[in-house]
């Protein structure tokens, strides 16, 4: 396969208006404080969706921005890939709800589920479908309403997450712009380190599930941290090697925004100085599959990604899953 095949022609994002600051957790009766959260994670605030803000509405807002910037209309899309770990419904996919919302009647739409790596998995899947001639114009979205699946009585998880959406339209590459290299991997032996034990087919909803709160996210934070650093470092190495580049060749690195310490450790490993790393975890927390799209949209708006910029995206998520992608704008 001769690259580049697919270019990121337009990027969009959406964040709910309501902002929740660290100090507000105390009012929920949680034994935590701003200092602990900032020191351990770098998070100061996160955006929280209102009841009427769903993945359908948030993904559509991000998608419309990306389509406008790419100069395409919904009828041009022949593929929609949506990543989410917090789908609006268990059946059907959130991607088909997005399709209906924006009126993309010519598209094939489906979800990918690789937790925080979902947006990169989605971009890689879309590029592959473009390479095989199954799609010409693709919309790839990551959207999360994580605040609906975290346990607000568990201080070790609820302080970490936020809501939002990020989107990109992929078009055929022209003039050497587009995806230069990709890498994706997973390890299902580690699934129980970050998961929702119940609510699916193996442990359907019951009174006991409600009582023991086992439908909420559970996480082994310290183990997750270790694997996150290891796997994001590995993903960065592979994407760079496959593109024939080193960390010094990058104009910007946009890692999944889960924790500032994970971001700094990954950047150190890839030999990318922190002034070439985009960070917004302080303002959004961990928005899982929305995080890299949200950050990329901000980085473009801030002028940190320009025509000709070489950018590495790198992610890690539940599964565990990890992925990376280098793209030239
Ligand atoms: N406020 C105050 N104290 C807290 C809080 C809190 N919000 N949360 C936990 N603590 C306490 C713990 O109870 C523990 O107390 P103890 O020592 O009395 O038992 C103490 O702080 C230390 O807990 P650790 O879990 O060891 O703290 P650590 O330094 O590892 O930081 C954290 C925890 C922030 C969760 C960190 O491990 C981390 O960021 N892990 C990675 C998480 C992550 O990135 N997850 C997302 C992955 S991507 C995806 O797919 C969603």
């Amino acid at each position: 396969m001769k690259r580049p095949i697919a270019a990121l022609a337009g990027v969009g994002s959406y964040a709910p208006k309501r902002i929740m600051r660290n100090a507000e957790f105390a009012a929920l009766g949680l034994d935590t404080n701003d200092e602990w959260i900032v020191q351990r994670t770098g998070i100061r605030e996160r955006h929280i969706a209102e009841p009427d803000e769903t993945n359908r509405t948030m993904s559509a807002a991000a998608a419309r921005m990306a389509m406008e910037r790419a100069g395409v209309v919904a009828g041009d899309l022949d593929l929609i890939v949506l990543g989410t770990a917090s789908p609006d419904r268990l059946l059907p996919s959130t991607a088909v709800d997005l399709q209906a919302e924006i009126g993309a009647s010519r598209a094939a739409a489906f979800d990918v589920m690789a937790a925080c790596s979902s947006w990169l998995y989605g971009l890689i899947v879309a590029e592959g479908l473009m390479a095989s001639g199954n799609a010409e114009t693709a919309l790839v979205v990551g959207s999360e309403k994580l605040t609906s699946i975290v346990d607000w009585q568990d201080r070790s998880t609820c302080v970490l997450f936020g809501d939002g959406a990020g989107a990109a339209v992929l078009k055929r590459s022209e003039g050497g712009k587009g995806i230069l290299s990709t890498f994706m991997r997973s390890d299902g032996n580690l699934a129980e380190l970050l998961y929702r034990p119940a609510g699916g087919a193996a442990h359907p909803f019951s009174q006991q599930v409600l009582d023991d709160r086992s439908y909420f996210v559970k996480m082994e934070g310290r183990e997750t941290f270790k694997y996150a650093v290891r796997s994001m470092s590995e993903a960065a190495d592979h994407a760079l090697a496959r593109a024939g580049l080193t960390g010094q060749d990058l104009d910007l690195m946009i890692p999944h925004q889960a924790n500032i310490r994970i971001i700094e450790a990954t950047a150190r490993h890839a030999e990318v100085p922190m002034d070439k790393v985009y960070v917004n975890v302080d303002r959004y927390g961990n928005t899982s599959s929305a995080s890299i799209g949200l950050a990329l949209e901000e980085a473009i708006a801030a002028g940190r990604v320009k025509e000709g910029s070489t950018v590495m995206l790198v992610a890690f998520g539940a599964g565990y899953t990890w992925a990376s992608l280098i793209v030239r704008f």
Side-chain angles (χ1 to χ4, degrees):
M1 175 164 104
K2 194 175 169 308
R3 281 184 162 133
I5 290 161
L8 272 65
V11 177
S13 71
Y14 177 82
K17 278 204 177 52
R18 165 144 155 62
I19 292 173
M20 180 179 181
R21 302 198 165 78
N22 289 345
E24 293 178 55
F25 286 102
L28 302 177
L30 289 170
D31 180 14
T32 187
N33 56 68
D34 182 58
E35 194 193 349
W36 191 96
I37 300 170
V38 172
Q39 260 179 20
R40 302 286 177 124
T41 70
I43 300 167
R44 294 180 185 277
E45 58 191 39
R46 71 285 294 140
H47 292 248
I48 308 270
E50 301 288 353
D52 64 347
E53 284 177 306
T54 60
N55 285 303
R56 179 179 179 128
T57 66
M58 294 192 292
S59 64
R64 287 191 183 104
M65 188 189 286
M67 288 192 294
E68 194 187 325
R69 291 175 175 177
V72 306
V73 294
D76 297 329
L77 300 174
D78 42 28
L79 177 67
I80 297 176
V81 185
L82 185 142
T84 187
S86 51
D88 285 349
R89 305 185 281 206
L90 294 181
L91 184 75
S93 70
T94 304
V96 297
D97 286 338
L98 168 61
Q99 172 182 28
E101 182 70 22
I102 61 174
S105 50
R106 283 185 53 245
F110 59 91
D111 287 359
V112 293
M113 173 31 169
C116 305
S117 307
S118 295
W119 198 59
L120 297 193
Y121 268 55
L123 290 170
I124 296 168
V125 167
E127 185 207 29
L129 288 169
M130 288 170 74
S132 63
N134 283 291
E136 283 298 312
T137 308
L139 172 67
V140 182
V141 187
S143 183
E144 300 289 0
K145 191 166 176 176
L146 294 171
T147 56
S148 69
I149 63 167
V150 297
D151 186 345
W152 288 88
Q153 295 178 12
D154 177 6
R155 67 175 181 175
S156 70
T157 52
C158 73
V159 302
L160 303 174
F161 297 103
D163 301 327
V169 169
L170 297 189
K171 280 193 195 168
R172 288 267 158 211
S173 164
E174 280 173 22
K177 292 179 193 169
I179 295 171
L180 304 180
S181 70
T182 60
F183 171 82
M184 63 204 295
R185 191 146 296 170
S186 54
D187 184 351
N189 291 314
L190 303 171
E192 276 78 30
L193 295 179
L194 176 45
Y195 75 133
R196 294 176 71 190
H203 297 286
F205 268 108
S206 64
Q207 192 56 49
Q208 193 193 332
V209 166
L210 290 174
D211 292 344
D212 65 20
R213 308 178 73 76
S214 57
Y215 57 102
F216 288 127
V217 171
K218 311 281 176 214
M219 181 178 73
E220 298 283 344
R222 217 173 275 184
E223 284 301 296
T224 302
F225 189 99
K226 273 196 313 212
Y227 282 106
V229 173
R230 197 179 303 165
S231 55
M232 295 230 297
S233 297
E234 181 196 302
D237 287 346
H238 282 285
L240 287 166
R242 288 177 181 184
L245 299 173
T246 70
Q248 284 92 45
D249 299 318
L250 298 175
D251 295 298
L252 194 67
M253 175 167 116
I254 305 185
H256 170 49
Q257 308 283 316
N259 182 314
I260 188 64
R261 294 184 294 142
I262 296 174
I263 292 172
E264 286 169 350
T266 307
R268 243 188 333 269
H269 174 88
E271 298 182 353
V272 180
M274 280 307 288
D275 63 356
K276 288 193 172 177
V277 179
Y278 196 82
V279 176
N280 66 6
V281 67
D282 51 326
R283 289 177 288 118
Y284 294 95
N286 182 346
T287 58
S288 191
S289 65
S291 112
I292 294 180
L294 263 166
L296 177 59
E297 194 280 322
E298 275 197 354
I300 294 170
R304 298 204 41 197
V305 177
K306 304 188 188 77
E307 202 165 330
S309 294
T310 303
V311 180
M312 178 161 72
L313 314 178
V314 53
F316 163 82
Y320 291 147
T321 58
W322 55 109
S324 54
L325 182 155
I326 294 179
V327 57
R328 180 158 299 138
F329 282 85

